Amino acid sequence: MEVVKIVLLVIQGLISVAFVFLVATQTSKNEGFGTIGVQTPANFKGMPGYEERMQQYTRNLAIAWFAVALLVALAYR
């Protein structure tokens, strides 16, 4: 059981580092208050652009981190 705990903590650490890296590399939009609620399409012919892919990766990593955090909590219970 100790090996499982260590593996889960290592996985959570790696996901945390990747999550911080993705958040740090995303560009800020700097749109201001004039465009609240207005979204401009940033994709071309239905293909996601860089920002959309980064948001998807960040969302997926956040979900994975939360799932691993739950597993770690259950393992240490």
Side-chain angles (χ1 to χ4, degrees):
M1 188 66 176
E2 291 298 319
V3 174
V4 173
K5 291 178 183 179
I6 292 171
V7 169
L8 285 173
L9 287 175
V10 168
I11 291 171
Q12 188 175 21
L14 292 173
I15 291 174
S16 298
V17 170
F19 188 65
V20 168
F21 177 76
L22 278 178
V23 170
T25 57
Q26 288 185 4
T27 58
S28 63
K29 301 216 190 287
N30 291 335
E31 293 172 346
F33 289 113
T35 59
I36 291 179
V38 177
Q39 290 185 345
T40 57
N43 53 6
F44 180 71
K45 293 186 181 179
M47 298 176 62
Y50 175 77
E51 289 86 13
E52 287 84 10
R53 283 188 315 225
M54 293 299 284
Q55 287 176 350
Q56 290 173 353
Y57 295 151
T58 304
R59 183 192 64 231
N60 292 340
L61 270 179
I63 292 169
W65 187 91
F66 187 74
V68 172
L70 286 175
L71 291 174
V72 168
L74 288 175
Y76 278 91
R77 191 177 80 156

